[in-house]
Structure formats: C-alpha cells, structure tokens
Amino acid sequence: MRKTIPIIRIIRLVQYVNECNVKEILPLKNDVISYIQNQFPDEIYNIQQFNRDKAKIREELGIDLKCNKKHQYYVDDSDQVGLLESSLDYYEMFSILNQANALPDLFLISERKPLGLNQISDVVSHISNK
C-alpha cells in the first residue's frame, strides 16, 4: 500500500471544494470526505483527518475553507480563483514529479513555507516604476 503525500490530498480537497463552488454547489462535509476516500481508496480518511487537513490548508496554503450554517463548505478566496486553481495545479504537478524522482537535479523542492511573499507586490511596484 503506497501512502499518499499529504499535500496532494490537501490540494485535491481544495480543488474539489473550489470546483463545486464554481458550479454553485456547496458540498457537505460528508461529500468532501467521500470524495477524498474515493480518490485515495488505500487510505483511511475520516472527520478527524478532514479537520487536520483544513488546518493545514489554512496554515500552509493560506486558504480558508469556510462552512455556512448548513455545514456546507466553500473556498473563501473568490477574488483569486484563477490564481488559486493554477497554483494548486502546478504545486500538485511538482509534488508528484518529486515523489517519482522525475525532476532533474536542478530542481530543489523545499518543504518549508516560503518567506518574503508579502514583499513581492513592493518589488513589482518598484520595478514597474523603474
């Protein structure tokens, strides 16, 4: 039994909720858990793991999965949905390639959270202002 890299599971979880939201569907907690169980049938996925994954999503990706009064989930990031989707796709691709040792030695995939991203807008502004 091959264990899934947790970040891949987390990315699939966010992608599922986001895809449902784009279709104007708000999935229930059980819907999300069932989806992840179907995606990774060799692993046990339950409510406790779902709650841990939500915390990791908030901590590592800066994405907050919100829940309404009916316990339906949505991604609270409507302004940057396109950026969110493409970022998750690229991150998943690199994670899979890294897991398969398919990346050349030129790529170094780090597990640590990137620092200084809050300064990128200042750098871009300074570059555009020359």
Side-chain angles (χ1 to χ4, degrees):
M1 176 168 69
R2 190 169 134 190
K3 188 165 172 82
T4 305
I5 297 176
I7 193 68
I8 294 173
R9 184 181 63 240
I10 288 169
I11 289 170
R12 295 264 175 87
L13 193 155
V14 174
Q15 286 174 328
Y16 172 71
V17 173
N18 191 48
E19 286 171 7
C20 288
N21 295 167
V22 168
K23 296 175 187 172
E24 297 183 3
I25 299 170
L26 300 178
L28 295 167
K29 182 185 290 188
N30 290 336
D31 297 334
V32 177
I33 291 171
S34 294
Y35 174 80
I36 296 299
Q37 287 173 338
N38 289 335
Q39 289 290 305
F40 306 102
D42 293 341
E43 295 186 25
I44 297 171
Y45 195 77
N46 53 32
I47 292 174
Q48 292 81 11
Q49 186 62 49
F50 175 69
N51 291 331
R52 285 191 293 268
D53 284 351
K54 283 192 321 183
K56 279 191 174 212
I57 290 166
R58 189 177 316 106
E59 175 186 313
E60 295 185 19
L61 299 177
I63 299 168
D64 200 12
L65 289 182
K66 299 275 186 162
C67 180
N68 65 15
K69 292 179 182 178
K70 296 178 182 178
H71 302 287
Q72 297 169 315
Y73 283 86
Y74 60 97
V75 176
D76 188 29
D77 196 19
S78 58
D79 295 338
Q80 300 177 357
V81 170
L83 177 62
L84 169 68
E85 290 174 358
S86 62
S87 297
L88 291 175
D89 290 342
Y90 284 121
Y91 196 89
E92 182 177 15
M93 178 184 67
F94 279 115
S95 295
I96 291 169
L97 289 172
N98 192 40
Q99 180 184 14
N101 294 323
L103 290 177
D105 293 335
L106 298 174
F107 287 101
L108 298 175
I109 306 298
S110 175
E111 294 294 325
R112 69 180 181 89
K113 187 175 180 178
L115 302 174
L117 292 177
N118 56 336
Q119 298 169 349
I120 287 180
S121 62
D122 290 338
V123 171
V124 170
S125 174
H126 290 297
I127 291 171
S128 64
N129 293 331
K130 298 179 184 172

